[in-house]
Amino acid sequence: MLSQGFVSAAAIAASVLFVLSLGGLSNQEKAKRAVWYGIVGMAVAVFFTAFGPGIGAYWLMIPMVIVGAVAGAYVAKKVEMTEMPQLVAALHSFVGLAAVFVAWSADLERRRVLAARALDAGAEQFSAFAALVATKAPDELMFLQIEVVLGVFIGAVTFTGSVIAFGKLAGKVDGKPRQLPGGHLLNAGAAALSLLLAILYLNGAGFWTLLLIAALAFFIGYHLIMGIGGADMPVVVSMLNSYSGWAAAAIGFTLSNDLLIVTGALVGSSGAILSYIMCKAMNRNFVNVILGGFGGSQGPAAEIEGEQVAIDAGGVASALNDADSVIIVPGYGMAVAQAQNAVSELVRKLRSAGKEVRFGIHPVAGRLPGHMNVLLAEARVPYDIVLEMDEINDDFASTDVVIVIGSNDIVNPAAQEDPNSPIAGMPVLKVWEAKQVFVCKRGQGTGYSGIENPLFFKENTRMFYGDARSSIDSLLSQID
């Protein structure tokens, strides 16, 4: 068993590695090395925690670690990049549920310590955690109770919220916002009742209060995320990531685990900052998003005139052959069709023909921040031609051809033209300003968020229907 000095030193080293990992992920070229920082940091954290002072029951721990490692490796190999958003949401739910269970266990141990004190039982009667609790003064036990309440509430909200987010991202739950009658009043009532139960618990009420707090928080997590539409799901995933971090930090305080506190705080703060950045990029109010659109715009959306005009692969190829400048705007449709390699080959052929080809990436393209960047990097698209919205938005007016691959909301002019649109005010890629726009799309549906797009009806837009991968493949043989 390792000494506390070794464990403390390892915690510092792992924390530094986690900070380096987060910092490196801001740059595509450094991201691979940053991921390894995180892997090594987590390995160090797990090893030194498992073999630190006061840890036992290895006969149970080691098999559980092996089972978890095998399950993780299996899922990592099976899950495609297109399914990564829902996988992240599912993993958030695990963190939340773990926080609830640990908090419940901590309170049961606290009650055991108090009962043992009343019977003058010796310290040998305690588990490692209970022995730690036994050293706490009454005022310190009050702080422990507060940590337990926070762990149960935040963890339960994170669990059910993440489960619903997983369902929406996976298409198993309707992506449209739905709430029970009473809407936000139900959420507010559940939160107020949770606070009342927490006060009762802190004043000596039984374990039943924690069970009821968890049940109410489970409902709040479910109802909040059900009330959020598909257009805001990238923000929701980031927000739930933040929640899982704060739940872990609360449990870190409960367990007196410095590394868990630091790790949870890093995840919680970075997730909150990312959520804020994404809301700013979408011109959304952060509070409105997390409350399911409370106070959002209301009213009927503007009617769209005209019709969608289709075009075949020959027509698109002809326009590309005549063009000097091309911008490609990828969205989740590219991910679903796994068309990134075909797109990369198209880019290679166009650039070989002397054409300027670039990508326009919206901050919330796909269903997870950075989703499109990862796919393009995987397909070996050069980093220097992958530009963010602010870098490329002014160039559409001087661009010959724009190819939109499976995007809807991020290229929707209604965001700027229709104040009653669900995405009103959201900054979008102004693809309609280009000379010609080709939209690669499976059919005439409104897409995941259910929002109609006037772009598809504009005179300079042609709809290139079909699976994105097959459609792009059909262009390759016709590019000069």
Side-chain angles (χ1 to χ4, degrees), residues 452-470:
E452 194 67 77
N453 192 340
L455 170 70
F456 304 158
F457 300 84
K458 288 188 176 292
E459 292 183 2
N460 63 334
T461 299
R462 294 294 180 268
M463 306 301 294
F464 188 24
Y465 292 121
D467 174 80
R469 183 174 178 177
S470 300

Side-chain angles (χ1 to χ4, degrees), residues 229-253:
D232 291 324
M233 286 312 295
V235 180
V236 170
V237 173
S238 177
M239 177 189 69
L240 291 170
N241 178 53
S242 179
Y243 286 0
S244 69
W246 297 125
I251 295 307
F253 280 107

Side-chain angles (χ1 to χ4, degrees), residues 5 19 21 33 60 63 67 84-85 135-137 147 217 222-223 289 305 314 316 323 329 364 392 402 418 438 455 470:
V19 171
S21 179
R33 183 171 58 188
L60 178 62
V67 170
M84 195 58 64
T135 65
K136 295 181 180 292
E147 294 157 8
Y222 157 80
H223 202 228
V289 172
E305 298 180 354
V316 178
V329 178
V364 295
I392 202 168
V402 170
D418 182 6
F438 300 108
L455 170 70
S470 300

Side-chain angles (χ1 to χ4, degrees), residues 41 66 85 106 112 184 193 221 248 257 278 307 329-330 346 354 446 451 461:
I66 293 174
R112 184 182 173 205
H184 303 293
L193 186 54
N257 187 311
M278 293 173 67
E307 61 179 357
V329 178
L346 176 65
T446 56
I451 301 173
T461 299

Side-chain angles (χ1 to χ4, degrees), residues 110-136:
R110 180 187 67 85
R111 294 177 186 277
R112 184 182 173 205
V113 167
L114 294 177
R117 280 179 176 174
L119 298 174
D120 293 325
E124 67 275 3
Q125 301 294 320
F126 299 148
S127 66
F129 176 72
L132 174 65
V133 174
T135 65
K136 295 181 180 292

Side-chain angles (χ1 to χ4, degrees), residues 41-51 65 259:
M42 185 56 67
V44 169
V46 171
F47 178 82
F48 282 89
T49 298
F51 294 98
V65 170
L259 184 56

